[in-house]
Amino acid sequence: AGPAAATGYRYWSFWERDGARWTYATQGPATARPADGSVEGFRFAVSEDSADASRPRGTADFGTICAGTPAVGGRKRVGLVVDFGTSADAPSGERPPARRTACAVVSEDATAAEALAAVAKPLRYDTNALLCAIGGYPSRGCGEKVAAGGTSGSGPSLGLVAGAGVVVVLAAGAFWQARRRKNA
């Protein structure tokens, strides 16, 4: 048997902008409390874990994202980047929307999840509070396991199919040998 296909998960990863680069968030969006002037990012993709997660694409600076949004007393502005990923990472039958940015104006103690909810409804979460959909995308599924190439891991594995093929070939060979002996 050949090497097993890499397995990953299709999910929304959460990022914080640190100057000119993205860093994988150390807290979830429900507990992270960005400061006024922060930029937070969300990226939908297939990855094994945070070490190989795909970063939000494109430029993302607070000055550009929130340029047309004036400061309001007692509230904070948070720049958000929502990257819906690529067609290769999309669930079967779905097309990712275009990447978008938004400036959320929220209470001073708001979390990143609250900032996201202010500008990208509808959001969908699973029973464990895992973010499943932003702006209704994807329409179904949540953090499902997928094989390399983005195919859903719900079907039989390649090893199982190959093993079944070997059994069929051996059975056919045994049948052929038995017929040969009988006819000889």
Side-chain angles (χ1 to χ4, degrees):
T7 300
Y9 297 88
R10 183 180 285 126
Y11 69 101
W12 283 100
S13 57
F14 174 51
W15 299 83
E16 296 170 330
R17 192 74 174 179
D18 181 14
R21 65 184 181 88
W22 289 109
T23 58
Y24 198 86
T26 57
Q27 300 180 63
T31 57
R33 296 191 186 282
D36 181 65
S38 296
V39 176
E40 309 292 306
F42 295 85
R43 170 73 191 264
F44 189 76
V46 173
S47 61
E48 282 186 60
D49 55 33
S50 61
D52 81 332
S54 299
R55 290 171 170 75
R57 296 169 294 169
T59 58
D61 67 276
F62 178 79
T64 302
I65 295 171
C66 291
T69 307
V72 176
R75 314 247 323 143
K76 66 181 173 185
R77 294 173 296 159
V78 178
L80 293 163
V81 175
V82 180
D83 186 340
F84 294 91
T86 66
S87 295
D89 292 329
S92 180
E94 295 204 48
R95 271 191 111 141
R99 173 189 170 275
R100 67 181 185 208
T101 61
C103 186
V105 179
V106 291
S107 66
E108 290 178 335
D109 66 342
T111 64
E114 291 168 326
L116 181 64
V119 298
K121 289 180 183 173
L123 303 178
R124 181 169 48 87
Y125 291 90
D126 74 357
T127 57
N128 297 314
L130 178 66
L131 180 60
C132 301
I134 297 176
Y137 180 82
S139 64
R140 63 193 180 293
C142 191
E144 63 270 3
K145 188 185 260 191
V146 294
T151 57
S152 178
S154 61
S157 71
L158 178 61
L160 180 61
V161 172
V166 168
V167 169
V168 168
V169 168
L170 290 174
F175 177 75
W176 181 75
Q177 283 291 340
R179 284 188 55 122
R180 240 178 90 199
R181 284 189 193 120
K182 184 178 176 184
N183 293 334

